[in-house]
Amino acid sequence: MTNIAFIGLGNMGLPMAKNLLAANHSVRGFDLSEDARAALEGAGGQAFTAIADAVAGADVVVSMLPSGAIVKAVYQGEDGVFKNAKAGTLMIDSSTIDVTTARDVAQEAKAHGFDMVDAPVSGGVGGAAAGTLAFMVGGTAEAFSKAHPVLEPMGAKIVHCGASGNGQAAKICNNMVLAISMIGVSEAFNLGRSLGLDDQTFYDVAANASAQCWSLTSYCPVPGPVPTSPANNNYQPGFATALMHKDLGLAMEAVASSGANTPMGHLAAEIYATMNDEGHGNVDFSGVIKHLAGSL
Ligand code: NAD
């Protein structure tokens, strides 16, 4: 049994913490929301109203928070993790945040004598509940091997992506491709329809030709060909446009700081920003097919 402090018990954090409890770890939680704290207590964990109390005696701190600014405040603040954790505590931040902040916070962890990894996830709320998340981990080999058994009850795939920040880098690069490919597949269906091509017929051709990709054959943006895709459920998420918009914003921050040339990524970020700003943040990101057709 490991004593784990879990900070951020929201849509993702709570089910992740439950899987740690189910694996017989002790979980001491902290969240600003009283409801979130009560939900952890209901699941058999202990909840606290101060970070210092949650991390007291913890061997590992796991966090699942909304943004880089909040991650900084939680770890680096006067009442935060670094000031209150005992020597030797391992820190795992699973929030999706910008690469620069992830590297800064890990650097400060090191200055305080702590090992820290960034370990953002894909798999969404369903994966969090099922314990089948994919973790993309950045940090030293030693920190990765310490983090691995803690992540295991929460994940089906745990990949070491390199030094600090590289977990975040892998996540935003993956999601940038996903956004571009979903828009590409959607444009092709829309063009095909306008030329009188039947959706299923185009699918049967493309799924077995060079346009084959995950956005087409696992998450098809038109109803019919892939019965499990959100298109068959009126574009209920799935993976909400608001979250894709957030991840593309992080990707574009990384583009700006690195100088990489990503014209398609820029355009995809603009398209999802418009869709989000027009009030469709709760629509699955494959609903971009309707946004592009002007029918959302
Ligand atoms: P959420 O808003 O449901 O949960 C965030 C929790 O953090 C809330 O309970 C909130 O009260 C708490 N919180 C906020 N500020 C805090 C602070 N200063 N101290 C302690 N607690 C604080 O968000 P979520 O959907 O659980 O997402 C969490 C992270 O996971 C985000 O970075 C998100 O991008 C990432 N993510 C989400 C999904 C998804 O499908 N929801 C998928 C992959 C990654």
Side-chain angles (χ1 to χ4, degrees):
M1 186 189 83
T2 305
N3 289 318
I4 300 172
F6 205 113
I7 303 178
L9 301 160
N11 292 325
M12 295 292 289
L14 181 66
M16 290 166 72
K18 283 183 181 172
N19 282 324
L20 291 172
L21 286 165
N24 290 320
H25 294 305
S26 127
V27 177
R28 302 166 64 89
F30 172 73
D31 194 294
L32 297 178
S33 148
E34 200 179 326
D35 287 351
R37 295 195 302 270
L40 179 69
E41 297 257 344
Q46 282 180 282
F48 299 90
T49 53
I51 291 176
D53 296 330
V55 303
D59 306 307
V60 180
V61 174
V62 181
S63 53
M64 195 53 171
L65 295 159
S67 70
I70 293 174
V71 168
K72 258 183 189 281
V74 161
Y75 281 92
Q76 300 178 340
E78 265 317 299
D79 304 320
V81 175
F82 293 153
K83 289 262 163 69
N84 289 289
K86 69 175 188 198
T89 303
L90 171 69
M91 315 207 164
I92 302 175
D93 180 39
S94 279
S95 323
T96 302
I97 64 170
D98 62 285
V99 175
T100 305
T101 299
R103 288 184 175 151
D104 287 351
V105 176
Q107 188 63 36
E108 192 164 329
K110 197 173 161 198
H112 281 83
F114 299 117
D115 275 332
M116 181 165 192
V117 296
D118 49 298
V121 302
S122 69
V125 176
T132 56
L133 292 169
F135 284 92
M136 294 150 272
V137 186
T140 63
E142 195 191 344
F144 175 73
S145 64
K146 284 190 202 161
H148 198 282
V150 181
L151 300 177
E152 233 163 12
M154 303 184 281
K157 203 166 183 196
I158 304 165
V159 181
H160 188 205
C161 300
S164 289
N166 281 20
Q168 301 292 351
K171 161 113 186 161
I172 56 171
C173 289
N174 179 78
N175 282 10
M176 188 176 79
V177 178
L178 175 62
I180 293 168
S181 71
M182 183 54 78
I183 291 168
V185 168
S186 296
E187 287 186 358
F189 273 111
N190 282 340
L191 175 62
R193 285 173 173 185
S194 70
L195 298 172
L197 185 58
D198 172 63
D199 285 348
Q200 184 68 50
T201 305
F202 173 60
Y203 177 88
D204 290 341
V205 172
N208 294 294
S210 44
Q212 192 280 330
C213 63
W214 188 90
S215 292
L216 179 71
T217 53
S218 292
Y219 215 83
C220 191
V222 297
V226 178
T228 52
S229 77
N232 300 281
N233 189 24
N234 202 24
Y235 299 94
Q236 296 300 304
F239 183 42
T241 291
L243 288 173
M244 177 55 94
H245 171 54
K246 174 191 170 180
D247 291 357
L248 289 170
L250 297 174
M252 292 306 104
E253 275 182 47
V255 165
S257 64
S258 67
N261 184 28
T262 61
M264 301 291 284
H266 269 292
L267 194 50
E270 269 176 31
I271 289 169
Y272 278 106
T274 306
M275 190 172 158
N276 189 67
D277 293 350
E278 287 178 355
H280 303 303
N282 287 332
V283 174
D284 185 78
F285 85 109
S286 63
V288 74
I289 190 167
K290 294 184 80 172
H291 170 72
L292 293 167
S295 60
L296 192 61

